[in-house]
Amino acid sequence: MNYFKIIGGKSLNGSVNIRGAKNSVLELMSATLLTAEPMILHNVPNLSDIQTLIDLLSNFGTSVEWDKENHIMKLHTPVIKSVKAPYEIVKKMRASIYVLGALMGRCGEAKVSSPGGCVIGQRPVNIHLLAMEALGAKIEIHHGYIVGEAPSMNGVRRLQGGIISGLVRHQNGVAITTHGGSVNAIEAAVLAEGETVIEYVSIEPEVDDLINMLNKMGAKISREIKDGVNIVRIQGVEKLHGCEYSVMPDRLEAGTYAVAAAMTSGCIEICNADVSKMENFLDKLKEAGVKITNTDNGFIVDARNVKIKSVNVEVSQYPGFPTDMQSQFMTLMSIADGVSILKETVFENRLMYVPELVRMGADIRILGDNTAKFTGVKKLYGADVMASDLRSGASLVIAGLVAEGETILHRVYHIYRGYENFVENLRSLGANIEVLKEDIE
Ligand code: UD1
């Protein structure tokens, strides 16, 4: 197993190219199952999660050619050979659940291993299943598998258009809509018979990326807002055709490098990023005192001679402050001047990085109810720490970049799931970080 050794104290300067959004690509690749024609995706990042999804798609009969150097992927599923998504692959990556909607849409049947809970929360898929049922599917759980069957007419199984209204749930007074549930609902409905209306649908940019690609494939999907409720309306079509599509830039990768610049009092130009999808996060960075200048294809983060100010953060869904940027931004707050209060609202267990930061000298108190108080300290100190998930791993690297002495980060495989060339990029920006091999597993 690899680990990272980071010697803190170098400020990061230079430029970095942002790749396609991991969360988008996973949706788009799953959605290619909806057509028998070849598909070409551009701007596909080289990540281990993408490889996991390739393994899953191969199971269904998809042939995949991946030109990693040029970030181009060709996918072709002329026929679906099996509708089973096995436990061995689904357990590695929760986003495997996206194949449920695509298989139900194309074949009218699916057998997908039910993803369990994960380190950041229970993450049930009950709402995904309700969406399938709203389109006429019979859903049962058999031996750990979600087994779905669309109604059959003259021997052909096809979902029926309907109203999907339960994508939202309320948690401590906050309305949370499901991103993944929205993806599955859209994928399932594009080939359903008749019209589908999906209420309380997620408005995250990656869901728009999926809608845009599906429309390019011949789907008929439109967005509207009715009485304050976000709606997607879909006219089912008989079939979809292949197309070429370029994945949107990863706002979370861009945000992570922005925090790294802020943390190390550096100045980084972030290229190929879309600032229009990052407003809330960038506003918080500005509030902390960091200078942000938009460029033609991204932005410059300048934190030279800046004393970082404390900023309160309440996570919420898009266009609010993203849960996937919470741990990185709060790592910055751990060395800010003053006290910051964090409230996480989307996932119930997303403060796992806190004890690790405390081991590095941060002053953080969990107040309960997913709230924490960060009192900025003058210095962090290198220590052995452990990544518990993708974003916490990136956050601990960022902490190590300013910590005095040596930080050893374990379980770095989490980072390879979502950041292409993370170590190489940080080194090119001036960081002292290397990948080493652990003797003991
Ligand atoms: C996606 C993203 C993840 C991001 C999250 C919120 C991918 C691969 N993952 O995750 O990076 O942090 O959106 O922006 O794109 N819930 C239910 N029942 C369900 C589904 C969800 O109760 O059937 C709950 C979840 O436990 C969570 C909340 O709804 O508390 C939001 O989860 P959801 O939006 O579904 O997150 P993901 O799609 O899993």
Side-chain angles (χ1 to χ4, degrees), residues 126-282:
N126 57 321
I127 304 175
H128 299 235
L129 307 188
L130 288 175
M132 299 302 125
E133 285 172 345
L135 301 180
K138 192 170 111 215
I139 298 283
E140 282 175 4
I141 309 284
H142 275 309
H143 302 289
Y145 278 80
I146 301 161
V147 181
E149 279 179 1
S152 170
M153 188 103 77
N154 303 327
V156 178
R157 291 198 182 281
R158 190 176 181 193
L159 292 170
Q160 303 294 307
I163 297 176
I164 300 175
S165 56
L167 287 180
V168 74
R169 73 185 174 86
H170 294 271
Q171 185 173 280
N172 302 329
V174 184
I176 309 274
T177 190
T178 151
H179 176 134
S182 303
V183 169
N184 262 328
I186 293 167
E187 286 181 349
V190 283
L191 293 176
E193 192 175 346
E195 183 180 85
T196 296
V197 174
I198 309 174
E199 297 174 347
Y200 297 102
V201 71
S202 165
I203 55 166
E204 295 214 308
E206 295 78 9
V207 175
D208 275 326
D209 218 24
L210 172 70
I211 292 174
N212 292 340
M213 185 183 85
L214 286 171
N215 279 339
K216 218 171 162 195
M217 293 165 73
K220 295 202 167 98
I221 312 173
S222 58
R223 274 198 185 272
E224 60 192 82
I225 301 177
K226 202 170 162 196
D227 302 328
V229 177
N230 288 299
I231 289 175
V232 153
R233 194 178 290 276
I234 300 175
Q235 308 297 336
V237 294
E238 292 290 328
K239 62 181 195 168
L240 297 177
H241 54 76
C243 77
E244 284 195 38
Y245 191 78
S246 187
V247 182
M248 66 172 272
D250 197 317
R251 59 193 170 112
L252 307 169
E253 186 192 18
T256 302
Y257 286 109
V259 174
M263 192 83 181
T264 60
S265 307
C267 179
I268 302 183
E269 179 172 3
I270 306 212
C271 307
N272 305 333
D274 183 352
V275 283
S276 71
K277 308 286 189 302
M278 301 178 64
E279 275 179 15
N280 192 297
F281 162 75
L282 290 176

Side-chain angles (χ1 to χ4, degrees), residues 258-259 262 281-290 292 301 329 332:
V259 174
F281 162 75
L282 290 176
D283 284 350
K284 288 286 176 191
L285 214 48
K286 287 180 201 162
E287 210 180 314
V290 179
I292 306 289
V301 188
F329 190 82
L332 176 65

